[in-house]
Amino acid sequence: MSQGAVADFGLIGLAVMGQNLILNAADHGFTVCAYNRTVSKVEHFLNNEAKGKSIVGATSIEDFIKKLKRPRKIMLLVKAGKPVDYIINDLLPHLEKGDIIIDGGNSHFPDTNRRYEELSAKGILFVGSGVSGGEDGARYGPSLMPGGAEEAWPHIKEIFQSIAAKSDGEPCCDWVGPAGAGHYVKMVHNGIEYGDMQLICEAYDIMKRIGRFTDKEISEVFATWNKGVLDSFLIEITRDILAYDDVDGKPLVEKILDTAGQKGTGKWTAINALDLGMPVTLIGEAVFARCLSALKKERVLASKHLTGPEIPEDAVKDKKQFVDDLEQALYASKIISYAQGFMLIGEAAKTYGWKLNNPAIALMWRGGCIIRSVFLGEITKAYRENPDLENLLLHRFFADAVIKAQQGWRKTVGLATTYGVPTPTFSTALAFYDGYRSARLPANLLQAQRDYFGAHTFRVLPEEASETLPVDKDIHINWTGHGGNVSSTTYDA
């Protein structure tokens, strides 16, 4: 070890997440070296939040490298994209084979795949790690999803599992898989987060518009829900938000402009689902709901010209039943969202050749992260019982839960449709459920249409095979009598 190499771990990027992760690591007995391109931030951090802790600072990249024990373990918590590449390029001249670079930002997994390959060729172990839980999670226990060069895991495992959140005594951190798998799982986590948030917003909207509940009453409903199957971080914070009044005594939430922002991870999930041919409909609708919310001027104009049904004062005659039905709709839709998310992860594993640990992924999300909930404990159990489970809906616990919930779910979606309250995620979740449980769908007609206009061919049901319609063969029919007999080569188009 060179003189001055005192730090177990180095972190670059002193925004709130970086600072809190450093403080967390120091609390767990690790000596951490902090560095930021703006060196004054390092000085300020050392003289304030980090004062008296096992934290040292660096004044340059060279100084930073010298203070790290070998193999050097360096985490980047900087803005995704080009800044990550810039810092990696700054680090490379000073690193040795076997040193470890960890990208803890919200990088897109194809970028992580590329960096993994480029750095592997140079002998540097690259890890792309999802970090979830916000600033509070970073400080006291985040969910960590590391993937990349597996040789790095024994060197960072103790640090990562020490600082991670714990669920029933187990760390919400385990090795995810190779290359960009860690950032991929974080991307899907964020997509599910989009879905959870939109579902909650739709429940709020239904209570407000159809049930005519006050914000305080809705807050009380969420408080009750948080004691049952929906117990989760997002339900908890929604309870608090709806109970929060501005200085004038009016609910602050009602003063907030109804246009939602997004940083891209939900969109990435939806795009990847389309690329892999996976029907991850709920996350897609959640992304589109944010896009629709951004059309504020158009929506205000449309509200003056486009009519819908009036909602009578007594639309809800039994408020308890109404709330119970809504709880079932939210629970069932949430199950669908997670089932779709794990379908996507499973397909990604096949497509990209990754061996992924589904029970560990569910456990990583059980605590520390934004989508943490009691519900995830059941997903962990399901995948521990059967790591090759094809779909969560085929596990008895989730099948029973959705079957039990569907009456309230259908009533809720029906009520919202009757009174013109948009429920894109509730509705698409129910449509997916009904499609998934259908042994036969109308895609037979769709294939006939494709063959009619584009000679895209079709296949026949085994029980309907004949001499003229052989099984397991792409067939084209001259539907009109004046078409050709040559089929297209784009059956999958």
Side-chain angles (χ1 to χ4, degrees):
M1 190 190 302
S2 63
Q3 190 175 5
V6 295
D8 303 301
F9 185 59
L11 193 143
I12 299 176
L14 292 182
V16 65
M17 287 289 286
Q19 289 191 19
N20 282 353
L21 213 60
I22 290 170
L23 294 169
N24 183 351
D27 286 348
H28 285 87
F30 301 102
T31 299
V32 189
C33 184
Y35 176 69
N36 198 84
R37 280 189 166 187
T38 307
V39 179
S40 59
K41 284 190 175 181
V42 180
E43 292 177 19
H44 185 271
F45 180 53
L46 292 175
N47 292 328
N48 291 278
E49 297 88 350
K51 196 168 186 179
K53 296 184 178 289
S54 57
I55 299 167
V56 296
T59 55
S60 66
I61 287 286
E62 293 86 349
D63 184 35
F64 177 71
I65 297 295
K66 285 176 185 174
K67 288 178 176 172
L68 299 176
K69 297 175 185 175
R70 289 182 174 84
R72 301 175 181 98
K73 296 167 281 292
I74 301 164
M75 189 164 191
L76 315 182
L77 272 175
V78 298
K79 189 175 179 182
K82 291 294 181 187
V84 177
D85 291 316
Y86 294 150
I87 291 177
I88 289 173
N89 288 335
D90 286 347
L91 288 168
L92 278 176
H94 310 284
L95 298 181
E96 300 169 353
K97 284 188 176 182
D99 285 342
I100 300 161
I101 297 177
I102 306 156
D103 175 13
N106 263 337
S107 290
H108 198 192
F109 80 95
D111 289 335
T112 306
N113 286 340
R114 169 179 58 80
R115 291 171 186 137
Y116 167 78
E117 294 294 342
E118 291 172 354
L119 291 169
S120 292
K122 299 177 189 294
I124 304 300
L125 306 180
F126 186 68
V127 174
S129 180
V131 179
S132 182
E135 57 184 277
D136 196 55
R139 181 66 185 86
Y140 301 107
S143 168
L144 297 170
M145 302 157 238
E150 194 164 3
E151 309 95 295
W153 182 230
H155 299 288
I156 65 173
K157 181 177 180 179
E158 184 185 358
I159 298 171
F160 268 46
Q161 293 194 334
S162 295
I163 67 175
K166 306 298 185 293
S167 174
D168 296 326
E170 295 184 85
C172 296
C173 169
D174 205 342
W175 189 252
V176 175
H183 276 143
Y184 186 90
V185 167
K186 176 58 162 56
M187 177 191 78
V188 176
H189 162 283
N190 284 24
I192 291 172
E193 180 184 310
Y194 272 54
D196 273 2
M197 293 170 75
Q198 178 62 27
L199 285 167
I200 288 169
C201 290
E202 289 174 22
Y204 152 79
D205 200 27
I206 288 170
M207 282 187 270
K208 196 158 191 69
R209 290 166 69 173
I210 300 177
R212 301 184 187 273
F213 286 32
T214 65
D215 290 276
K216 292 291 186 296
E217 287 173 329
I218 300 173
S219 174
E220 288 166 8
V221 169
F222 278 101
T224 301
W225 286 353
N226 202 50
K227 296 171 185 171
V229 291
L230 291 171
D231 177 4
S232 65
F233 174 71
L234 286 170
I235 294 288
E236 183 182 313
I237 68 167
T238 303
R239 172 202 68 193
D240 296 344
I241 289 166
L242 291 166
Y244 191 94
D245 289 336
D246 198 5
V247 289
D248 61 1
K250 295 178 181 176
L252 179 59
V253 70
E254 302 304 333
K255 298 183 179 184
I256 297 173
L257 180 66
D258 57 320
T259 59
Q262 54 182 311
K263 291 199 171 180
T265 45
K267 179 183 74 175
W268 293 344
T269 310
I271 291 171
N272 183 253
L274 289 168
D275 287 341
L276 299 187
M278 282 289 104
V280 184
T281 56
L282 197 146
I283 292 171
E285 286 293 350
V287 174
F288 286 131
R290 294 195 188 194
C291 296
L292 182 60
S293 79
L295 304 178
K296 177 67 173 178
K297 286 184 181 178
E298 285 183 55
R299 289 189 290 111
V300 170
L301 179 63
S303 71
K304 297 171 183 173
H305 296 279
L306 304 177
T307 61
E310 292 291 323
I311 303 176
E313 290 279 349
D314 63 345
V316 174
K317 295 179 173 60
D318 184 339
K319 284 198 169 186
K320 184 183 183 306
Q321 188 62 54
F322 169 74
V323 168
D324 288 346
D325 290 343
L326 189 53
E327 181 181 24
Q328 292 303 309
L330 184 53
Y331 185 45
S333 298
K334 188 180 172 82
I335 290 172
I336 296 296
S337 184
Y338 283 74
Q340 291 183 350
F342 276 95
M343 283 169 64
L344 183 59
I345 288 171
E347 187 62 24
K350 293 176 193 172
T351 302
Y352 305 131
W354 295 340
K355 184 171 175 55
L356 301 181
N357 186 346
N358 283 333
I361 291 167
L363 178 65
M364 285 179 232
W365 294 348
R366 175 68 181 82
C369 66
I370 303 303
I371 64 171
R372 62 184 180 266
S373 66
V374 169
F375 172 88
L376 277 153
E378 296 298 337
I379 298 180
T380 304
K381 285 182 196 172
Y383 280 116
R384 280 180 173 166
E385 286 173 19
N386 181 6
D388 299 318
L389 181 65
E390 201 158 348
N391 192 297
L392 282 173
L393 293 174
L394 301 178
H395 186 273
R396 193 71 261 157
F397 176 87
F398 296 103
D400 288 346
V402 174
I403 291 167
K404 181 181 175 184
Q406 70 174 303
Q407 184 180 2
W409 191 13
R410 293 183 190 283
K411 283 167 65 179
T412 296
V413 172
L415 194 66
T417 303
T418 298
Y419 291 121
V421 176
T423 55
T425 51
F426 278 142
S427 300
T428 199
L430 183 55
F432 174 85
Y433 173 73
D434 285 335
Y436 190 70
R437 68 179 184 81
S438 295
R440 182 153 185 168
L441 290 170
N444 55 323
L445 176 58
L446 192 148
Q447 278 303 108
Q449 292 169 332
R450 294 179 73 242
D451 189 54
Y452 186 110
F453 68 68
H456 289 300
T457 75
F458 59 86
R459 292 193 175 190
V460 296
L461 292 163
E463 62 269 25
E464 298 297 338
S466 66
E467 192 173 326
T468 55
L469 297 174
V471 74
D472 294 334
K473 184 180 177 183
D474 298 336
I475 298 165
H476 168 54
I477 294 292
N478 184 348
W479 295 89
T480 61
H482 52 75
N485 291 316
V486 179
S487 65
S488 169
T489 57
T490 55
Y491 180 82
D492 292 327

